[in-house]
Amino acid sequence: RISLGTTAIQNPSFTWWVVNRLAFLVGTTNLSIFAIYFLQARLGYERETAAEPAAMLMMFVGIFILLSALPSGWLADRFGLKRIVALSGIIASLGVLIALLTTSLTVIYIGGCIIGIATGFFFTSNWALGTVLAPEKEAGRYLGLSNLAGAGAGAVGAYIGGPIADFVTIHIPSMVGAGYVLLFSLYGLLFLLSTIALLGIRHSQNNQVSLQV
């Protein structure tokens, strides 16, 4: 609102796009930041012993981001941008759920691969959706605001999430690592919230692109 003034009211769909992007990126960015602590909490690794499995997990996530990003553009054209963005949030939350419900490193890797697939879908389809919603003559001004979501994701997730994890861990010592399990659960919920935010995107300024869910 500060940047766009009253025009922000005239294009609420773009605002909800920023909300969708922020919610998803808070999850995917900070899952990687806290992965090593989650593995320590969930699987009992101590200090540096968690570094190797955490690095492997991030490697699997990165590989599947690349693999899913390649066909995501075709899928978005075939099924609609909003559908693929919505699917991304649902798939990512499923990957987090799998990681939360197991004490097997292999299964956690599988959950990470699923999150990677969702992230690859999201990066392509969400950005394409933003270019559709931004007014053509002010595309630079509008899309520059996407940095609120990109840069803000790390700050929101880490600076708020970290203290939450520490608070829970300190005050519930009987549940080892409960804070980071809770934190991953919150990030999973944010993936779902990113999908719900799409309900605020009502129309397209480019009728050639399908935004229907």
Side-chain angles (χ1 to χ4, degrees):
R1 180 71 179 271
I2 293 173
S3 176
L4 298 179
T6 57
T7 58
I9 301 175
Q10 300 169 8
N11 192 355
S13 293
F14 184 84
T15 300
W16 283 109
W17 173 78
V18 174
V19 173
N20 163 261
R21 187 171 178 82
L22 177 63
F24 191 96
L25 292 181
V26 166
T28 191
T29 299
N30 292 281
L31 284 175
S32 62
I33 293 174
F34 292 107
I36 189 169
Y37 301 110
F38 174 76
L39 292 178
Q40 289 174 344
R42 199 75 181 113
L43 304 183
Y45 288 103
E46 295 184 3
R47 299 181 178 86
E48 68 278 1
T49 59
E52 182 179 350
M56 290 291 292
L57 177 60
M58 292 302 100
M59 182 187 72
F60 286 130
V61 172
I63 290 172
F64 278 86
I65 288 176
L66 176 61
L67 293 177
S68 62
L70 295 174
S72 62
W74 178 84
L75 291 172
D77 290 338
R78 177 68 176 82
F79 298 105
L81 292 173
K82 275 182 65 175
R83 286 176 178 169
I84 300 303
V85 177
L87 185 64
S88 300
I90 294 171
I91 293 176
S93 63
L94 176 62
V96 174
L97 181 62
I98 289 173
L100 288 171
L101 294 179
T102 185
T103 55
S104 167
L105 181 59
T106 300
V107 178
I108 289 177
Y109 284 158
I110 293 173
C113 293
I114 293 173
I115 295 171
I117 292 171
T119 304
F121 285 163
F122 179 84
F123 281 158
T124 301
S125 56
N126 174 267
W127 190 250
L129 179 58
T131 62
V132 170
L133 296 173
E136 183 176 350
K137 294 182 179 180
E138 296 182 281
R141 180 186 180 193
Y142 272 74
L143 293 178
L145 290 175
S146 67
N147 289 325
L148 288 173
V156 170
Y159 296 150
I160 297 177
I164 290 175
D166 289 341
F167 179 85
V168 173
T169 299
I170 292 172
H171 288 82
I172 312 180
S174 59
M175 298 178 62
V176 179
Y180 291 102
V181 174
L182 172 63
L183 202 56
F184 267 50
S185 300
L186 293 175
Y187 292 149
L189 290 175
L190 281 174
F191 286 135
L192 291 178
L193 178 62
S194 73
T195 296
I196 295 173
L198 292 171
L199 296 175
I201 300 176
R202 300 293 185 180
H203 66 280
S204 166
Q205 295 186 9
N206 182 349
N207 293 328
Q208 295 179 346
V209 181
S210 173
L211 299 181
Q212 296 181 354
V213 174

